[in-house]
């Protein structure tokens, strides 16, 4: 008769740091490999950097030339913000990119009657851009104040592992509409891209060239190049000649009009669109998006710390990062990027896919962002990659970030009915409430909040369209009101408490200490 299995053969002990990563936050691959990985992060960041202006600029009355300038500006600011965040913010290997969270208040500004009355399209574009800039500049104060005053650090003391699981998980799951629905806009490109990326990154990951797992490391860039060439072949052969305009827009490689309209050299500068205009209603609605960006980034930072094999960022480090992100939104307003900024979830997922969580790789990627934003023609070449290619990759990377959120359950007691209730209800409402708001908006052409006060409508509709934000409100409330005194161990607090302060864990100094000996002037709390 076989011997009964040992306890260690049945279960896996919780681990503070994720195992199996080749390079963690402060270990670095060779310079050649790091540069290639940095370029890969730049290519991935292009998806959102092109998608957001391509959606918003035409609504503002802008032409293809305006769209290219906005894309270049967004990439330039993305590079600056990412470099500052990795040097002085959380110091985690995160890309700070454009955010869809700002779409609701921005669309509200675009449809403002004072702007829609402008008949000249270019003048309407400039006036709308200035209004968006003014709202972003004012709204950035929310994150700057919450971050640098350490108020967000105080708020984070109400977080526990069981309460943060839905927030981190829905930072990935909540972007499901940016995955296969967009890849399905051109199935013949999106599906092959998804299949090829999974095969290269997972099934062929052990293939090595000179002791380097090239398939696993560079699956993204290799699969993009193959499918991009395939898409160009379909375009050149006339496969879409008689297809609807929408299909051609998503599938053809020559419909972006980015390369032809991009200048050879263009340096973005503050107030390049003119002096910003300020409106209290616009700014208040934008503040809701700033709060959403803050919450989504909080979940993304915790996921990134795990995928970089670091400890969860201490409260004051997290708050410091939010403060720098607030400055990033201020820069977005000053330069005119048509949106605010947040942590790029897809780039966080790529850390796990490549098993490289090195900070240096992300800092190298900022060089590509800044360089190609200045040299317009070269940057526009890569920016013309069809959206379904990026969306297919998102299906993997968003899911990877979501699963990292679920991994925090190992520190909690999931045999507790209380914990099952908190996690289950938070996850469900975090998906269901934003979906209700989306469906209502699609059917009625306005959100469920539809009063005469436009700023109030923008505030509520923005908050409840964000899955991580809804999940945080529900999970933190339930977690801190349901038997919270008697369930500290079930909630995972004994494990979590040592990561609240900088000196609570000796590894924090290695991961989060400021460079250039700046900790002398800004001592950790």
């Amino acid at each position: 008769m076989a011997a009964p299995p040992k306890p260690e053969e049945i279960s896996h002990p919780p681990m503070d740091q994720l195992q199996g990563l080749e390079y963690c936050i402060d270990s670095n691959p060779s310079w050649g490999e790091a540069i290639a990985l940095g370029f890969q992060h730049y290519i991935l960041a292009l998806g959102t950097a092109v998608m957001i202006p391509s959606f918003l600029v035409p609504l503002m009355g802008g032409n293809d030339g305006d769209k290219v300038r906005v894309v270049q500006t967004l990439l330039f600011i993305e590079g600056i913000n990412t470099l500052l965040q990795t040097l002085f913010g959380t110091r985690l290997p995160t890309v700070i990119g454009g955010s869809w969270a700002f779409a609701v208040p921005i669309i509200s500004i675009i449809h403002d009657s004072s702007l829609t009355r402008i008949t000249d399209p270019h003048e309407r574009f400039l006036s709308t851009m200035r209004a968006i800039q003014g709202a972003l500049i004012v709204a950035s104060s929310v994150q700057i104040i919450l971050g640098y005053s350490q108020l967000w650090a105080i708020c984070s003391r109400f977080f526990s592992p069981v309460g943060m699981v839905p927030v981190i998980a829905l930072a990935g799951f909540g972007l499901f509409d940016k995955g296969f629905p967009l890849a399905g806009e051109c199935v013949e490109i999106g599906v092959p891209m998804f299949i090829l990326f999974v095969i290269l990154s997972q099934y062929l990951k052990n293939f090595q060239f000179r002791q380097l797992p090239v398939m696993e490391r560079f699956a993204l860039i290799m699969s993009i190049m193959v499918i991009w060439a395939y898409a160009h072949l379909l375009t050149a052969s006339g496969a879409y000649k008689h297809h609807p305009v929408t299909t051609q827009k998503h599938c053809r490689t020559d419909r972006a009009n980015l390369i032809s309209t991009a200048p050879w050299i263009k340096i973005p500068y503050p107030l390049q669109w003119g002096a910003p205009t300020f409106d209290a209603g616009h700014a208040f609605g934008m503040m809701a998006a700033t709060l959403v960006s803050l919450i989504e980034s909080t979940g993304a930072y915790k996921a990134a710390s795990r995928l970089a094999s670091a400890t969860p960022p201490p409260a004051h480090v997290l708050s410091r990062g939010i403060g720098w992100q607030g400055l990033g939104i201020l820069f977005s307003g000053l330069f005119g990027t048509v949106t605010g900024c947040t942590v790029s979830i897809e780039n966080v997922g790529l850390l796990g896919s490549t098993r490289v969580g090195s900070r240096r790789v992300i800092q190298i990627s900022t060089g590509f962002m800044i360089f190609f934003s200045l040299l317009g023609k070269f940057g526009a070449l890569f920016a013309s990659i069809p959206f379904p290619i990026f969306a297919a990759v998102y299906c993997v990377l968003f899911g990877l970030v979501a699963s990292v959120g679920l991994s925090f359950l190992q520190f909690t007691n999931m045999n507790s009915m209380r914990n099952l209730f908190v996690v289950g209800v938070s996850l469900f409402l975090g998906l269901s409430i934003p979906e209700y708001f989306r469906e209502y908006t699609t059917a009625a052409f306005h959100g469920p909040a539809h009063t005469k006060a436009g700023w109030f409508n923008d505030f509520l509709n923005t908050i409840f369209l964000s899955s991580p934000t809804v999940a945080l409100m529900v999970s933190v409330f339930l977690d801190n009101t349901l038997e919270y005194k008697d369930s500290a161990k079930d909630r995972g607090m004994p494990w979590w408490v040592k990561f609240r302060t900088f000196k609570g864990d000796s590894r924090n100094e290695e991961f989060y200490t400021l460079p250039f000996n700046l900790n002398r002037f800004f001592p950790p709390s």
Side-chain angles (χ1 to χ4, degrees), residues 92-103:
L92 288 166
T94 52
V95 171
I96 308 299
S99 172
W100 286 101
F102 293 80

Side-chain angles (χ1 to χ4, degrees), residues 37 40-52 74-75 78 93-100 168 171-176 178-179 182 197 220 224 296 300-301 303-304 307 342-356 362 369 387 389-402 404:
L37 286 165
Q40 194 166 232
H41 274 278
Y42 157 72
I43 289 292
L44 184 61
L46 277 174
T48 302
V50 175
M51 213 176 294
I52 293 177
L74 181 53
L75 274 173
E78 195 167 311
T94 52
V95 171
I96 308 299
S99 172
W100 286 101
I168 303 170
F173 285 144
L175 293 166
F176 67 89
K178 303 293 186 294
L182 285 180
F197 181 64
L220 177 73
I224 283 180
E296 291 178 350
Y301 285 133
L307 288 171
T342 191
V343 176
S344 170
I345 299 298
E346 55 267 34
N347 288 88
V348 173
L350 189 59
L351 300 177
S353 177
T354 59
R355 294 198 297 143
V356 176
I362 300 300
M369 294 174 197
F387 293 149
I389 290 179
F390 290 109
V393 178
Y394 294 165
C395 293
V396 176
L397 302 183
F398 290 163
L400 190 55
V401 172
V404 170

Side-chain angles (χ1 to χ4, degrees), residues 57 128 149 164 368 426 437 443 501 519:
V57 169
T128 306
S149 69
M164 289 308 293
F368 287 110
S426 302
F437 272 69
T501 60
N519 272 39

Side-chain angles (χ1 to χ4, degrees), residues 177-197:
D177 60 323
K178 303 293 186 294
F180 201 81
L182 285 180
E185 297 283 1
C186 189
V187 176
E188 57 268 42
I189 293 176
V191 172
M193 178 65 196
F194 173 79
I195 294 172
L196 184 61
F197 181 64

Side-chain angles (χ1 to χ4, degrees), residues 104-105 281 283-289 291-292 449 453-465:
V104 171
F284 195 82
M286 200 70 79
M287 286 179 182
L291 287 172
V292 167
W455 58 268
F456 178 78
N457 302 336
D458 292 344
F459 195 91
L460 284 187
N461 291 331
T462 301
I463 292 290
F464 288 105
L465 268 170

